Amino acid sequence: MEGIKGLENFGKEPKEDWNNWQPRLGFAYDVFGNGRDVVRGGWGVYRTWVYTNSNGLFAAIDATGIGSGSIFNVDDASGIRNPDGSFYRVGQPISNIASQKPG
């Protein structure tokens, strides 16, 4: 799908990534040999951009069962308007535009 940002490689044959080396080393030590007191550690070279500890935060949010993401969405290319025809502004009640929410 040429010309569509983000889909430049859509439909192409997948290739292995051979030049993206990210070494890691980890250990676990059972302090008393009882399987309850374990010290774990690790080191690694990570070359992926991480946003605000998202690797940990997303897992924590998923574990709550509440989830995350958009909970209210109104989208209109000509502008989101109040019932009186004026443009909606930040700080106005969401109830003004709730009827425009899809589905």
Side-chain angles (χ1 to χ4, degrees):
M1 300 193 158
E2 290 188 36
I4 300 176
K5 190 171 184 172
L7 296 177
E8 298 91 349
N9 296 319
F10 183 79
K12 292 183 179 178
E13 191 67 29
K15 294 186 283 185
E16 293 292 332
D17 185 0
W18 297 103
N19 64 352
N20 190 11
W21 292 92
Q22 298 183 49
R24 290 166 176 75
L25 179 68
F27 72 90
Y29 177 70
D30 189 349
V31 179
F32 300 110
N34 60 9
R36 297 185 65 176
D37 301 296
V38 181
V39 177
R40 300 175 194 274
W43 170 88
V45 175
Y46 299 90
R47 296 190 173 126
T48 302
W49 186 263
V50 179
Y51 296 97
T52 316
N53 298 324
S54 61
N55 290 345
L57 293 176
F58 291 164
I61 290 169
D62 287 345
T64 67
I66 298 170
S68 64
S70 176
I71 57 170
F72 185 87
N73 181 43
V74 173
D75 187 9
D76 187 335
S78 64
I80 300 170
R81 297 184 179 269
N82 289 310
D84 66 2
S86 64
F87 285 111
Y88 178 81
R89 295 182 181 197
V90 174
Q92 292 180 319
I94 290 180
S95 59
N96 289 4
I97 58 173
S99 64
Q100 299 174 44
K101 184 178 175 184

